[in-house]
Amino acid sequence: MIAFAVAIAFLALFGAGVLRDRRRFGNAVYLGLAVTFLGLGLLAEIDTAPPGVAASAMVVVLLVLGLGPVVLAGLLCANGVQMVRKEGRSPANLLSLLAGLGMFGVMGLMVAALVTHSWTLGLIVGTLLLVLGYISFLFVCFVGYAFLYGRMRLRRDADFVVVLGSGLIGGRRVPPLLASRLERGREVYESLAARGGRQPVLITSGGQGPDEEVPESHAMAEYLVERGFPEGRIVREDRSRTTEENMRFSRQLMEEAAGPGAECVIVTNNFHAFRAALMARRVGVNGQVVGSPTAAYFWPSATIREFVAVFLQYKAVNLGVCLTLILMGVLAWAVR
C-alpha cells in the first residue's frame, strides 16, 4: 500500500507540473517515478492474485528482465548498421550501434564476473549497473514523456508559427527532413487561421551555413511559396546558426510585431520536439512545440542524441549522481 500511496503522490506532482508548464523535464521524472512505484506495488501484491495469473505475471517479468536487454541490444546494433548504410558514418549516426555494442559489453562483463567469481570484477559490474540504471531510468522517463508531449492538444491562441531549419541539400534545396517540417508548419498555420480573427504569421528560421548558397530561411520560404503559401504571411529569420539562436532571434521578431510574451507554435521533427520545448522554456519563448513525421529507422540514434543533450543540460545533477555512485563503489573496494 505504501508503494501505491507514493505513486499517487508522484502522479499528483506530475499533474501539477503539466498544468504549470508542460515544458519541464521534471514532469518526465515525476511520471517515471509514479509508474515505477505503481509497478513495485503491483509486484508486492502479486501473491494475492489467482495462482494462474501470478505465475504468468512472474514468467513475463523474468522474460523481460532476462531476454529484454539481449533483444534490445540486438535491435540497436541492427539499426546502427542500417543508419550507417543510409546516412553515412558520422558520429551521430553511430549512436544506436554503439549503445547496442555497449550493452553486449556489459553483459559480457557480468558473465565474466560470474564465471571467475572475482569480487573486484563483480564490484565493478555492480557499480556500472547502478550508473547505467540511473541513466536508463532517465532515458525511459525522457522517451515516455516525449511521446506524451507530442500528443498533447495543439494550442489554439497562437499568432505565430515558427518552423526551425535543419540544413539544405546542394546549398539551396530543401531536403525531405526539412520539407516534413514545412508541411507540418503549413498544417498548423491553416489550423490557426481557421479560427478566424487575426491571421497568424509563419516564421521560417535558419541562417546561412558555410556550405550553403542562401540562408535556410529563404529556401524554406521559397519552398512554401512555390506550393501556394501566401508570401505576405511569411517572415524570414536568417541570422541563426543553432536551435537556441532559432528560438532567440525568432522571439525578437515576434516581440517586435506583437510585443513581449507573443505566443507561438514551434515546428520541428518529432524526435526533437521535447528537447526543443525545454529549450524554448529556457530562452523565454512562449510556445508549444509540435513535431513532424520522421523515418522510423532514424528514430533510435536521433532519440539517443536528444537524450544525451538533455542529460548534459542538467549535468551538475546528473554527473553528480553518477560520480557519487562511482565513489560508493570505490569506497566499497577500499574498505574490503
Side-chain angles (χ1 to χ4, degrees):
M1 292 299 294
I2 295 178
F4 290 130
V6 175
I8 292 172
F10 279 120
L11 190 61
L13 289 172
F14 166 72
V18 170
L19 290 176
R20 185 169 64 252
D21 192 336
R22 63 184 66 174
R23 307 169 303 168
R24 297 170 62 94
F25 190 71
N27 297 337
V29 176
Y30 289 144
L31 180 61
L33 289 170
V35 173
T36 298
F37 279 99
L38 176 62
L40 292 174
L42 292 174
L43 286 176
E45 298 293 325
I46 198 170
D47 58 341
T48 64
V53 174
S56 299
M58 288 305 299
V59 169
V60 170
V61 170
L62 291 174
L63 285 174
V64 170
L65 293 177
L67 296 180
V70 177
V71 173
L72 178 59
L75 291 175
L76 286 171
C77 288
N79 176 259
V81 172
Q82 185 179 24
M83 278 291 294
V84 170
R85 289 175 176 173
K86 289 181 175 288
E87 304 291 336
R89 297 183 180 181
S90 70
N93 294 336
L94 294 172
L95 287 176
S96 58
L97 178 60
L98 293 175
L101 293 175
M103 291 180 67
F104 280 127
V106 173
M107 291 180 225
L109 285 176
M110 293 174 63
V111 172
L114 291 172
V115 171
T116 61
H117 302 288
S118 169
W119 187 88
T120 301
L121 184 56
L123 182 60
I124 293 173
V125 171
T127 303
L128 183 60
L129 288 177
L130 285 176
V131 173
L132 292 177
Y134 172 74
I135 296 173
S136 298
F137 171 75
L138 292 181
F139 180 74
V140 172
C141 291
F142 172 80
V143 172
Y145 188 69
F147 177 84
L148 184 63
Y149 180 87
R151 282 150 185 78
M152 291 181 178
R153 186 164 55 181
L154 178 67
R155 66 192 306 169
R156 304 288 296 178
D157 55 354
D159 291 316
F160 296 90
V161 178
V162 180
V163 183
L164 305 183
S166 66
L168 303 175
I169 295 176
R172 63 178 310 114
R173 289 192 298 112
V174 170
L177 193 75
L178 184 52
S180 174
R181 296 185 185 187
L182 291 166
E183 294 300 335
R184 181 72 169 116
R186 179 204 290 270
E187 292 176 8
V188 173
Y189 174 91
E190 292 173 350
S191 176
L192 294 173
R195 68 183 178 176
R198 181 180 174 183
Q199 291 295 296
V201 172
L202 189 146
I203 299 176
T204 54
S205 181
Q208 184 173 353
D211 59 344
E212 294 174 338
E213 299 176 12
V214 297
E216 291 176 25
S217 59
H218 292 219
M220 293 160 69
E222 183 179 340
Y223 174 94
L224 289 170
V225 171
E226 288 176 351
R227 287 157 180 78
F229 194 91
E231 185 171 7
R233 305 309 301 171
I234 299 177
V235 171
R236 298 161 178 81
E237 182 287 295
D238 56 9
R239 295 185 295 154
S240 57
R241 297 291 186 273
T242 65
T243 301
E244 184 168 335
E245 289 184 351
N246 286 146
M247 303 281 188
R248 293 187 185 278
F249 295 151
S250 295
R251 175 189 173 189
Q252 291 177 10
L253 293 175
M254 289 186 287
E255 291 184 345
E256 289 172 2
E263 298 179 348
C264 66
V265 177
I266 301 166
V267 181
T268 184
N269 284 89
N270 43 21
F271 64 82
H272 184 236
F274 183 42
R275 184 164 76 91
L278 296 176
M279 189 177 299
R281 177 176 179 271
R282 190 172 72 250
V283 302
V285 174
N286 184 13
Q288 177 184 352
V289 182
V290 300
S292 63
T294 308
Y297 76 86
F298 200 82
W299 264 80
S301 286
T303 301
I304 293 172
R305 184 176 69 246
E306 295 297 303
F307 170 72
V308 170
V310 172
F311 183 88
L312 294 177
Q313 182 179 327
Y314 302 94
K315 58 179 175 290
V317 173
N318 291 326
L319 296 182
V321 170
C322 293
L323 182 60
T324 300
L325 294 173
I326 292 171
L327 290 177
M328 288 171 57
V330 172
L331 182 61
W333 177 81
V335 300
R336 179 175 181 262

